[in-house]
Structure formats: structure tokens, C-alpha cells
Amino acid sequence: MTAAVMPTYGRIDIAFERGEGAYMYDTEGGKYLDFATGLAVLCLGHSHPHLVAEIQRQAATLMHTSNLYNIPGQERLAERLVANSFADTVFFCNSGAEANECAIKLARRYHHANGNPERYRVITFDDCFHGRTLATIAATGNEKVLDGFGPKVEGFDHVAVGDFEALQAAIGPQTAAIMIEPIQAEGGVMVVEDAVMQKLRQVCDDNGLLLIVDEVQTGMGRTGRLLAHEWSGVTPDVATLGKGIGGGFPIGACMATAEAAKGMVAGTHGSTYGGNPLAAAAGNAVLDVILADGFIENVERMGALLRSRLEDVCRRNDSVIHEEVRGRGLLLGIQCRVPNMDLVTAMRKHGVLVPPAGDNVMRMLPPLNIVESHIDEAIEALEDVCRELGQ
Ligand SMILES: *Cc1c(COP(=O)(O)O)cnc(C)c1O
């Protein structure tokens, strides 16, 4: 790795040169089944023909204009997201962290518009992850992301998921919002129970707070619903998107109800690239596929199959992995009894790419359009790996 690239990542020493469907090929001729998908980004797998064609077409027509002008493709993408969710309005940016920045700004601005500018604090949760900007590392709140980057951005209070006594104690006259991931993915694929989501909604209503769901990893069909909070039946005020929304093209989005977004008037927020014609073409192409009949149902079906196959492997290899499979749809995790990186590395040696997660978890984030044979292949590798590591 050249020193010309700032060494902020602990990288695996492989470079890929090509991807096709659920597979990636490295520069040494190795073939891998991709159950990491660039961290839940490649929801349609690699080189999906419709996504490629739409990006190529738009790149050759008009790539960028800035938000000084109307962008029809951006309007179409927003209208489709609105038509398929709780939201009335969408702001486009370029990453998950930026989407969360927008959500945090929106929450402050909402209370400002209501004549309560003192309400600026956001409650977030232990083991959360909201990004790497100054505000989102403060929202994330753990020492690993904050170390050396002080002073910490003011205005975030942390409680444990499900500890409603601590939550009540943390709410004060300055509290503006509660922000939560429906599944704490980086934190270890911990599903926030539906009952907890429902109670959070109630707490927000009782205290005049906005409920922000960070769906950067869980959104865009990943869990078998377009947005993961739908499982709980709860309607949030704000949801953030990233990762899968562009299928590999960098897009972020902050979706909100009209009421929650009422402070976000002209001049309050912006992004040079956000929702440019090229990004909008990518986002619309992804939606063309995801919203087609049967696509999200396939995620639910493949998710159930992968989960039951994983449960079966876990039961038979309890010296290597814990029995419980975590997650929903095709965002799954298993907790390891050996260091999770041993499992991740061994899986790669067996030709399957998987990412780690917190709490000593190995994650599985396959493309959303996988078929049964991909699951067979991943499970076979996991069986072999467990046998090796269990010896
Ligand atoms: C990845 C992630 C982010 C940050 O997204 P970036 O595009 O890396 O800025 C924020 N929240 C959650 C839940 C994520 O998984």
C-alpha cells in the first residue's frame, strides 16, 4: 500500500479488478463470492446491466448541473422515495454520514422554527454507528471514533437500547430528537425489537421529540422491507439513507415528513453534488429493480433461507460460533467464539467475502438478488471453515 494514500484503513492485501453479479475477481485470478457487497452498498451485485446502462446513458448526456437549477431526475427519485415511504420530502447528499448530518441539522432547525432554539440535543444509543464526520462521531459516541478528535461536538446523549428509565432521565428541556438504527449493524447486527421501536415513538410523541431512524445500512430492501423500521409498524419523522441507494454510486438521502422538515427552507442546507443528474440516474435505476414485483419478497425469502441454513451450521459448530443468528432479511450476523477476524479470514481463503462487525460478529451482506445456489456456496464454505477452526 503506497504512503501516497493516507493510512487510515487497516486494509486486506487484495485488489479486485472486476465484478459480475455476486462474484468479484482479484488481480491474481482469484474468484470470490461477495457476501460483503462493499458494506451493503452493492444491493444489485456487481455490474448490474440496468444500473450500468443508466449510468452510462446519463454520463454521456448530462453529468452535473449543481442545485442552482431544477434536476428532473432528482425530483423523480424523491417522488418515488416519498411514494414508497412515510416521508413527504427528501434532501440528497453523497454519503450516509452526510445524510445523518442533515437529519441532525433538520432536528435543530425544526425546534428553531417552533420557537424553541434551545432544543438541540439528540439522544443516541450505546453501540450505535452514525458516521465519521465531527457531528456523527459525537453521535456515535465511542472512544474508538472520537479519540484525538476533540473537542467533541456538543449535543449528544447516550443511553442503552431498551433502557427506558435511562432514556427518560436523559430527556431534558434541551432535547430535540432520538436517533436510532433499526438494526445496529456495525455494532454487531443487533436488532432493535419492534416493541422498543414502538415505545421510542411513544416517548418522542410524549416529549415533542423527532424520531430519526438511521437506515443507511438497513434501508433499500436489505431487511426484506424497503425500510427496516416498517417491521415495527412505527412511523418515524426522519429516515436517512446511504449505501444501497446508489447500488455502488455514492448517494445519501435524508427523508422527512413535511412537518419535521418545516425549518429546512431555501438557503438553510446544501450540497454541490447532492442528487446531481448522474447520481439521480443511478438511484432511479436501483429503484427500478428494487421496486419491481417480487424483488423485496425475494430478499425476505432468501433471508429466511440463509438464516435457517446458518442456524443449522451454528447448532453443529458451537465450539466456533454461538447458536443465535442475528439480523433480518439479508443483514445477518453470527457471533463467534473464536476471534471474528479468524472466521472472516478463513472464509476469504475459501472464496467467500464477509465483513466483521462489533461484538465479535461475522456479518453476511449478500447482494439482494442472490439465488439459492449462492447460499449453498456460502454455507459450504462456512461448514469447512468451522470444521478447520473447531479442531
Ligand atoms: C455506513 C453507515 C453510516 C456512514 O455512512 P458513510 O457513507 O460511510 O458516511 C452511517 N450510519 C450507518 C448505520 C451506517 O451503517
Side-chain angles (χ1 to χ4, degrees), residues 104 108 120-122 134-135 138-139 151-157 174:
I104 295 160
R108 291 186 175 192
Y120 70 95
R121 303 191 72 85
V122 177
L134 281 171
K152 188 163 99 176
V153 171
E154 250 284 282
F156 296 93
D157 300 299
Q174 298 181 325

Side-chain angles (χ1 to χ4, degrees), residues 8 64 121 154 310 346 357:
T8 60
H64 180 80
R121 303 191 72 85
E154 250 284 282
L310 281 172

Side-chain angles (χ1 to χ4, degrees), residues 30 114 120 170 196 235 303 318:
N114 282 342
Y120 70 95
V196 169
T235 305
D318 61 358

Side-chain angles (χ1 to χ4, degrees), residues 24 38 48 132 137 153 184 211 214 219 230 263 289 375:
M24 271 212 288
H48 189 281
R132 295 289 198 147
I137 59 175
V153 171
Q184 294 187 305
L211 180 61
D214 177 346
E230 293 168 21
V289 179
I375 292 178

Side-chain angles (χ1 to χ4, degrees), residues 14-33:
I14 303 183
F16 294 98
E17 61 180 16
R18 192 164 63 83
E20 199 183 320
Y23 295 93
M24 271 212 288
Y25 300 84
D26 71 17
T27 49
E28 319 268 283
K31 179 184 180 183
Y32 298 84
L33 177 65

